[in-house]
Every structure is written in C-alpha cells, then in structure tokens.
Amino acid sequence: MTSPSDSEPREDAAAVSRPPRPPWSAFQAALRGAGFHPSRRLGQNFLLDENLARAIARDAHLEAQEHVVEVGPGCGFLSVHLAHEDVELLAIEIDPRLAPIAAKFLEPYERARVVECDVLDGKHALNPEVLALLPQGDTPWHLVSNLPYAVSAPVLALVAEQPKPARTFTVLVQQEVADRLAASPATSDWGPLSASIQLTYDVTLGRPVPRGAFWPRPRVESRIVHGSVRQDLEPVEDRRVVRDLARALMGRRRQMVRRVLGDLMGDKDAAAARLAAAGIDGDVRTGALDLDQLSRLAKTPG
Ligand code: SAM
C-alpha cells in the first residue's frame, strides 16, 4: 500500500475516506419500499438529477466543517451531496415518513444529522428548536435547500431577519419566487419580499432547473438563487424597521408615496415634511422606492 505524500492536496485524502454517493435509484427504492406517496401540501418534489445535486453543493462554495442547514431533506438525496462536502449538516424534515429515510442515507457521515420538526413556528417565526441548534457566537452558518414551495418565501424572509442570518444561501425555488427575490425596484416583481431579502443579502440568480429534474414533475419551472450577506449589513432592529415600512407602503404599490404615507401617519402634512426631509419625491409610486429610499425614510423621524 502506498501512503499519500505530504504534498498531496488535503481534498484527495478526504475524498478517499468519503463513502460513495448512492444514485437516485437507491433513494427511489427506499421510498417505494416505505410505500411513500408525495404530498403536494408539503411541496414534495424531489430532485432526481445527480449532476444538479452535485452542482448545487459545489455552487454553495462550502468549506469543510462549515455549518449548513438544509430545510426539507426529503429522502436525503441532496443532503448526501452536501454531507459529501464534509460540512456540519443540520437537516430539518417535517415529514415523519421521510426523516428516517434521510437519516439512514446520512448514517455514513458523522457530521450530518436529521431533526424531525417543522422549520417554522406558526407563520411568523422560525422554530425555536431549530434556532437553538444553530451555531452560537461568531461561527457562521449557510442555508442550502431545495425549499418546499409553500414555505419558501417565509423561510427565506425569516432567515434574513435573524440577528445572525445565514452568511449565504443557495436555494432551489420556483421561478416566480426567484424573480421576486432578485427583483429590481420599480419592476412588477419588486415587493416586500424583495426588499426584506435584499436588506440582508446581495442576491444573484443561478441556473434554471427544468421540471424534468424532479419527481414528481412540478407544474412550473424552478431556479437556483444565491444570496450572500451584505458587507454593510445593518443591525437587526434597523432592518426590521425598514422591512415593516416596506410592507406597509408596498401593500399599495401603485399609489403615490405621499398619499400612502399620509394615510399611515394619519397626517398628510407631516408625511410631506418627512418625505422632504428624507429627500424623496412624494409623487413617486411606493412600488418604485428603492432600498436606500426606504432606509432613509425609515430613519427620518415623522
Ligand atoms: N431536499 C429534497 C430534494 O431536494 O429532493 C426534498 C425537497 S422537497 C422540495 C421539500 C421538502 O421539505 C419535503 O421533504 C417536505 O416534506 C419538507 N418540508 C415541507 N414543509 C416543511 C417544513 N415546514 N419544515 C421542514 N420541512 C418541510
């Protein structure tokens, strides 16, 4: 037996010790063996394309031993590709039929664990059980998931609103959600979700994913989206104030900001003065306000 030389890259040694990633057919057989039928309510469209699962794990640019959260591992196909990157993987699965299947496939990876619970606590909060499992202190964490459609927007918005949000996210979402996440101001996709995500993240659209890459086939196209925490990230309290203002104003996105703000403040003149102090034209539609304007307005007393 030959031993690796000192000059050999570290990844090579790690690769030798990694178990092989089972093909989709092994996951499919496990699902069939359990008599599994996918639930539309839980957004169960499983990724079956091995190249894509590998590409998602690679495009997330994870370093060995970094902390990664996967929401909805399903039967564990993408999870195995993530665990293969030698990361600390926390996979949160709501479906008690699937969590044990994912756990079984992840058994060879000592840094991976599956927790069976809802990632959400109602509509407006992440599950405290999940929050308690996130790394503490300055240790960063990353979100990498093929997100269930019904909760993709709230999960991302809630992750972005954390005092310590995920440092990056790499998620597979429906095209319509991807468009809203990456939207520019004054476009039809720009809205409260775009604003609250972009307050925390620089967002870029990744590769489109065809319907045929999933089982069962979804009705719409999907896309990978990447987010990376902004260099100039504001403290959580400031982000929340801007987010609340964006939600309140953009509920009436076609109306002029002076009118909507006047109604919110219950005083037209005070609203006009506040807009002037923030350097914002009151005739602009609320749906055209960009993040700088929203932030300035939130910081301007009125
Ligand atoms: N990661 C798998 C893959 O890529 O093939 C499955 C992704 S599938 C789109 C979404 C998964 O999220 C399902 O396994 C579903 O049961 C799970 N899920 C749905 N709602 C959830 C929730 N609120 N909390 C945790 N998991 C959830």
Side-chain angles (χ1 to χ4, degrees):
M1 199 168 98
T2 52
S3 55
S5 78
D6 286 350
S7 60
E8 227 168 8
R10 194 195 63 84
E11 304 87 81
D12 286 353
V16 171
S17 64
R18 284 179 196 142
R21 286 158 291 189
W24 165 249
S25 55
F27 293 85
Q28 205 176 18
L31 291 173
R32 214 179 279 132
F36 178 81
H37 290 284
S39 151
R40 189 179 291 170
R41 183 180 62 83
L42 292 177
Q44 290 176 341
N45 298 100
F46 301 95
L47 195 60
L48 50 76
D49 186 310
E50 205 165 315
N51 290 328
L52 209 55
R54 199 179 298 129
I56 292 173
R58 196 186 49 228
D59 291 355
H61 298 295
L62 304 167
E63 301 274 337
Q65 297 178 35
E66 280 196 310
H67 290 255
V68 176
V69 175
E70 183 189 13
V71 174
C75 54
F77 185 58
L78 175 61
S79 326
V80 163
H81 285 78
L82 295 173
H84 207 74
E85 300 295 308
D86 212 13
V87 296
E88 297 280 342
L89 179 67
L90 172 64
I92 312 291
E93 175 56 55
I94 197 173
D95 190 334
R97 301 172 301 167
L98 293 170
I101 300 179
K104 188 84 193 148
F105 279 106
L106 286 169
E107 240 167 34
Y109 299 94
E110 58 184 29
R111 294 187 201 283
R113 84 185 265 207
V114 179
V115 173
E116 188 188 305
C117 70
D118 189 338
V119 70
L120 295 175
D121 178 21
K123 281 187 184 166
H124 305 295
L126 292 177
N127 187 339
E129 194 187 332
V130 174
L131 291 176
L133 292 170
L134 295 178
Q136 304 300 306
D138 291 338
T139 309
W141 62 285
H142 304 266
L143 176 73
V144 187
S145 307
N146 171 14
L147 285 172
Y149 176 65
V151 298
S152 54
V155 166
L156 286 169
L158 288 164
V159 164
E161 281 167 24
Q162 293 308 304
K164 192 179 86 180
R167 180 173 281 180
T168 67
F169 68 76
T170 298
V171 292
L172 185 46
V173 291
Q174 296 204 346
Q175 181 69 49
E176 162 261 324
V177 176
D179 291 339
R180 288 197 282 144
L181 294 173
S184 301
T187 62
S188 59
D189 292 317
W190 176 251
L193 178 66
S194 334
S196 49
I197 296 297
Q198 292 180 31
L199 271 170
T200 301
Y201 293 104
D202 294 318
V203 178
T204 50
L205 290 175
R207 56 185 94 211
V209 178
R211 286 184 281 168
F214 299 94
W215 173 79
R217 232 172 221 259
R219 290 195 187 135
V220 294
E221 302 297 319
S222 301
R223 185 143 195 169
I224 294 170
V225 185
H226 303 283
S228 182
V229 131
R230 292 173 61 130
Q231 297 281 351
D232 58 351
L233 184 68
E234 303 237 22
V236 63
E237 301 77 24
D238 295 357
R239 284 183 272 139
R240 285 185 182 155
V241 174
V242 182
R243 174 208 65 189
D244 289 346
L245 182 67
R247 279 186 188 156
L249 290 176
M250 289 199 236
R252 291 158 60 185
R253 45 183 303 122
R254 293 186 187 285
Q255 297 182 16
M256 284 186 276
V257 61
R258 67 180 155 76
R259 175 149 181 220
V260 182
L261 191 65
D263 289 349
L264 287 176
M265 294 173 63
D267 182 337
K268 274 187 201 163
D269 294 338
R274 188 172 167 193
L275 285 164
I280 296 169
D281 177 357
D283 289 347
V284 162
R285 290 178 200 273
T286 61
L289 291 172
D290 64 24
L291 275 189
D292 279 349
Q293 290 172 316
L294 288 164
S295 298
R296 282 208 310 274
L297 191 53
K299 285 176 187 154
T300 305

